[in-house]
Amino acid sequence: MRRNWAARLRPVVIDGLRAVVLENERLRVTVVPDKGGDVVEFLHKPTDTDFVWLSPQGLRNPHDHLQGAADDVAQFIDHYEGGWQEVFPNGGAPSEYRGARLAQHGEVSGLPWHCEVVADSEEEVAVRLSVRTRRLPYRMEKVFRLRSGTAALEIEGRATNEAGLPLHAMWGQHIVYGLPFLRPGARIRLPEGVKVIPHQSAINPAGRRVQAGGPWEWPVVPADGGGETDLSVVQEPGSPSDIVYLTGFDEGWYEISGDIGMRVEWDATLLPYLWMWQEFGASTGYPWWGRAYTLGLEPFSSMPTDGLAAAVDNGTALVLGPHETKVLRLRAEVLA
């Protein structure tokens, strides 16, 4: 039943793409099944605060992309609106796995997902999205659920190997924050005992924030060029670009807060790493051109951001047995 109170949902079209809005008294969450099931809005209504970063290029329909040189990185970047992506079965750079070439963050983030309503009452609303990958034999599902009176989005994801032999995968949640929520001086909290593993090389020729080596103890780590830097404090615009990998989670959760905050909880036995991507405007070439001010805090199964083949080599890739299904539960709640 269509209603404008309590928990409710409505289908919409955004820039030619099918989307669905899940809403209650405190939250409005917009999901785009036609583009990877991306979350493009996570709005806390009492403060009019959207937590997701929206890139300057905005939301683009991948079906409209007919120009440009063949490029396995650009497949993702050309249509990256910010927001929150499901990443599976390849995380980060293009990679080749058992003869299958996988693009940047491929495959499911660029595919249209089927969407069906599974709950629609004043107490709760929920939709189930599903898709099959095209180069590996996987089926993915995820259910987005919003309950009346809460400021929390609940997600249950399922990854199923439809082949009769074991296969590898990387699985991640590409969650990035931006204005108006993300500000210099915002704080990040993690459980005790977390370690920081720097990426092997700088992601920006102009320099990096964290000294190579490690692992280091969270949050104060050696800075590149000398001294120390506190990773729990969000940096000023123009600060060095970097990516590090956080691990050692007894419990999977983090909080990031300024005037208000967000708490994300997940199953750290399935996703034992948290990728911390920092792009505060220091990258002045392709693809950011100095226009990005964003922070990614991304639960992941594996590391580094070098693709599935690298994760297989270092032993961090997921293994799904013949016809096995792995289930991921995740919760994102506004702290006001």
Side-chain angles (χ1 to χ4, degrees):
M1 183 185 74
R2 182 68 180 268
R3 62 188 168 275
N4 293 319
W5 66 91
R8 64 265 198 193
L9 58 80
R10 57 190 170 92
V12 298
V13 176
I14 304 175
D15 296 326
L17 295 164
R18 290 178 307 131
V20 60
V21 179
L22 296 88
E23 188 171 5
N24 66 9
E25 305 89 339
R26 302 177 67 185
L27 282 184
R28 186 171 70 234
V29 178
T30 300
V31 179
V32 186
D34 265 359
K35 186 191 172 296
D38 290 5
V39 176
V40 298
E41 180 185 40
F42 197 109
L43 183 79
H44 181 241
K45 294 165 67 173
T47 60
D48 196 32
T49 301
D50 191 4
F51 283 80
V52 301
W53 178 61
L54 298 178
S55 78
Q57 70 186 21
L59 184 63
R60 295 172 172 175
N61 190 336
H63 296 157
D64 295 337
H65 184 69
L66 300 176
Q67 306 298 324
D71 186 325
D72 284 343
V73 173
Q75 284 189 36
F76 180 84
I77 295 294
D78 284 356
H79 311 105
Y80 177 54
E81 78 287 351
W84 174 351
Q85 285 75 37
E86 191 87 22
V87 175
F88 188 97
N90 184 61
S95 187
E96 183 170 326
Y97 175 72
R98 296 171 68 171
R101 290 189 61 180
L102 302 171
Q104 176 87 12
H105 288 323
E107 299 181 59
V108 300
S109 62
L111 294 176
W113 294 52
H114 176 71
C115 180
E116 60 181 321
V117 176
V118 294
D120 185 6
S121 70
E122 294 180 28
E123 290 74 34
E124 68 173 23
V125 289
V127 293
R128 178 185 293 113
L129 277 59
S130 59
V131 70
R132 280 185 167 89
T133 55
R134 295 177 177 176
R135 299 198 173 179
L136 296 180
Y138 284 115
R139 175 181 169 84
M140 298 288 292
E141 293 184 2
K142 55 183 173 181
V143 174
F144 293 93
R145 189 177 307 275
L146 186 59
R147 304 179 193 272
S148 178
T150 73
L153 178 68
E154 302 170 38
I155 300 174
E156 181 178 284
R158 293 176 176 268
T160 299
N161 175 7
E162 295 193 316
L165 55 121
L167 294 172
H168 294 90
M170 298 175 78
W171 194 357
Q173 303 296 314
H174 195 276
I175 307 171
V176 297
Y177 300 94
L179 296 171
F181 165 66
L182 189 70
R183 304 279 185 178
R187 293 276 178 170
I188 301 163
R189 291 185 58 237
L190 300 178
E192 296 291 331
V194 167
K195 305 287 187 182
V196 179
I197 304 173
H199 191 59
Q200 187 172 7
S201 58
I203 62 172
N204 181 13
R208 60 192 300 170
R209 182 179 177 189
V210 179
Q211 180 180 305
W216 317 114
E217 297 279 348
W218 169 273
V220 179
V221 300
D224 191 52
E228 295 179 328
T229 186
D230 186 347
L231 287 174
S232 69
V233 180
V234 175
Q235 299 295 284
E236 298 285 339
S239 298
S241 307
D242 210 344
I243 185 166
V244 299
Y245 310 98
L246 311 176
T247 193
F249 289 87
D250 290 332
E251 299 176 294
W253 65 265
Y254 68 76
E255 294 178 359
I256 175 169
S257 59
D259 296 333
I260 61 173
M262 173 81 88
R263 180 181 174 93
V264 175
E265 301 173 353
W266 73 95
D267 179 2
T269 61
L270 186 61
L271 308 185
Y273 298 96
L274 183 67
W275 294 13
M276 183 177 181
W277 171 48
Q278 303 155 81
E279 182 46 69
F280 299 131
S283 298
T284 56
Y286 175 82
W288 310 120
W289 309 111
R291 300 191 298 170
Y293 184 80
T294 186
L295 172 72
L297 291 171
E298 310 167 27
F300 254 90
S301 63
S302 320
M303 60 157 284
T305 182
D306 291 339
L308 179 55
V312 172
D313 287 345
N314 68 22
T316 64
L318 284 177
V319 178
L320 284 85
H323 306 291
E324 181 184 1
T325 296
K326 291 189 181 293
V327 179
L328 171 65
R329 293 179 177 87
L330 185 143
R331 189 173 190 270
E333 181 176 11
V334 177
L335 306 174

PDB file of all heavy atoms in Angstrom, residues 13-18 34 61:
ATOM      1  N   VAL A  13      12.784   6.699 -10.915  1.00  0.00           N
ATOM      2  CA  VAL A  13      13.754   6.650 -11.999  1.00  0.00           C
ATOM      3  C   VAL A  13      14.672   7.852 -11.845  1.00  0.00           C
ATOM      4  O   VAL A  13      14.206   8.996 -11.744  1.00  0.00           O
ATOM      5  CB  VAL A  13      13.063   6.671 -13.373  1.00  0.00           C
ATOM      6  CG1 VAL A  13      14.106   6.727 -14.489  1.00  0.00           C
ATOM      7  CG2 VAL A  13      12.176   5.448 -13.544  1.00  0.00           C
ATOM      8  N   ILE A  14      15.987   7.599 -11.791  1.00  0.00           N
ATOM      9  CA  ILE A  14      16.990   8.659 -11.645  1.00  0.00           C
ATOM     10  C   ILE A  14      17.908   8.598 -12.850  1.00  0.00           C
ATOM     11  O   ILE A  14      18.579   7.584 -13.081  1.00  0.00           O
ATOM     12  CB  ILE A  14      17.807   8.492 -10.350  1.00  0.00           C
ATOM     13  CG1 ILE A  14      16.891   8.440  -9.122  1.00  0.00           C
ATOM     14  CG2 ILE A  14      18.816   9.622 -10.207  1.00  0.00           C
ATOM     15  CD1 ILE A  14      17.634   8.158  -7.826  1.00  0.00           C
ATOM     16  N   ASP A  15      17.946   9.678 -13.624  1.00  0.00           N
ATOM     17  CA  ASP A  15      18.801   9.741 -14.812  1.00  0.00           C
ATOM     18  C   ASP A  15      18.632   8.513 -15.698  1.00  0.00           C
ATOM     19  O   ASP A  15      19.600   7.965 -16.234  1.00  0.00           O
ATOM     20  CB  ASP A  15      20.268   9.918 -14.397  1.00  0.00           C
ATOM     21  CG  ASP A  15      20.510  11.231 -13.673  1.00  0.00           C
ATOM     22  OD1 ASP A  15      19.844  12.219 -14.008  1.00  0.00           O
ATOM     23  OD2 ASP A  15      21.359  11.262 -12.765  1.00  0.00           O
ATOM     24  N   GLY A  16      17.387   8.074 -15.840  1.00  0.00           N
ATOM     25  CA  GLY A  16      17.083   6.935 -16.694  1.00  0.00           C
ATOM     26  C   GLY A  16      17.323   5.582 -16.075  1.00  0.00           C
ATOM     27  O   GLY A  16      17.128   4.555 -16.745  1.00  0.00           O
ATOM     28  N   LEU A  17      17.715   5.524 -14.802  1.00  0.00           N
ATOM     29  CA  LEU A  17      18.025   4.271 -14.126  1.00  0.00           C
ATOM     30  C   LEU A  17      16.951   3.935 -13.099  1.00  0.00           C
ATOM     31  O   LEU A  17      16.510   4.805 -12.335  1.00  0.00           O
ATOM     32  CB  LEU A  17      19.381   4.372 -13.420  1.00  0.00           C
ATOM     33  CG  LEU A  17      20.595   4.549 -14.332  1.00  0.00           C
ATOM     34  CD1 LEU A  17      21.794   5.024 -13.524  1.00  0.00           C
ATOM     35  CD2 LEU A  17      20.927   3.246 -15.047  1.00  0.00           C
ATOM     36  N   ARG A  18      16.532   2.653 -13.074  1.00  0.00           N
ATOM     37  CA  ARG A  18      15.594   2.204 -12.042  1.00  0.00           C
ATOM     38  C   ARG A  18      16.234   2.338 -10.668  1.00  0.00           C
ATOM     39  O   ARG A  18      17.373   1.921 -10.450  1.00  0.00           O
ATOM     40  CB  ARG A  18      15.226   0.741 -12.232  1.00  0.00           C
ATOM     41  CG  ARG A  18      14.364   0.393 -13.412  1.00  0.00           C
ATOM     42  CD  ARG A  18      14.146  -1.122 -13.445  1.00  0.00           C
ATOM     43  NE  ARG A  18      15.413  -1.838 -13.400  1.00  0.00           N
ATOM     44  CZ  ARG A  18      15.673  -2.854 -12.580  1.00  0.00           C
ATOM     45  NH1 ARG A  18      14.767  -3.275 -11.724  1.00  0.00           N
ATOM     46  NH2 ARG A  18      16.834  -3.477 -12.629  1.00  0.00           N
ATOM     47  N   ASP A  34      19.612  -0.740 -11.252  1.00  0.00           N
ATOM     48  CA  ASP A  34      20.112  -0.726 -12.626  1.00  0.00           C
ATOM     49  C   ASP A  34      21.607  -0.472 -12.711  1.00  0.00           C
ATOM     50  O   ASP A  34      22.211  -0.676 -13.761  1.00  0.00           O
ATOM     51  CB  ASP A  34      19.381   0.351 -13.450  1.00  0.00           C
ATOM     52  CG  ASP A  34      18.201  -0.224 -14.215  1.00  0.00           C
ATOM     53  OD1 ASP A  34      17.964  -1.442 -14.121  1.00  0.00           O
ATOM     54  OD2 ASP A  34      17.516   0.559 -14.909  1.00  0.00           O
ATOM     55  N   ASN A  61      24.453   6.449 -16.630  1.00  0.00           N
ATOM     56  CA  ASN A  61      23.944   5.145 -17.050  1.00  0.00           C
ATOM     57  C   ASN A  61      25.011   4.433 -17.871  1.00  0.00           C
ATOM     58  O   ASN A  61      25.397   4.911 -18.939  1.00  0.00           O
ATOM     59  CB  ASN A  61      22.677   5.336 -17.892  1.00  0.00           C
ATOM     60  CG  ASN A  61      21.968   4.017 -18.162  1.00  0.00           C
ATOM     61  OD1 ASN A  61      22.579   2.952 -18.132  1.00  0.00           O
ATOM     62  ND2 ASN A  61      20.680   4.097 -18.433  1.00  0.00           N
TER      63      ASN A  61
END
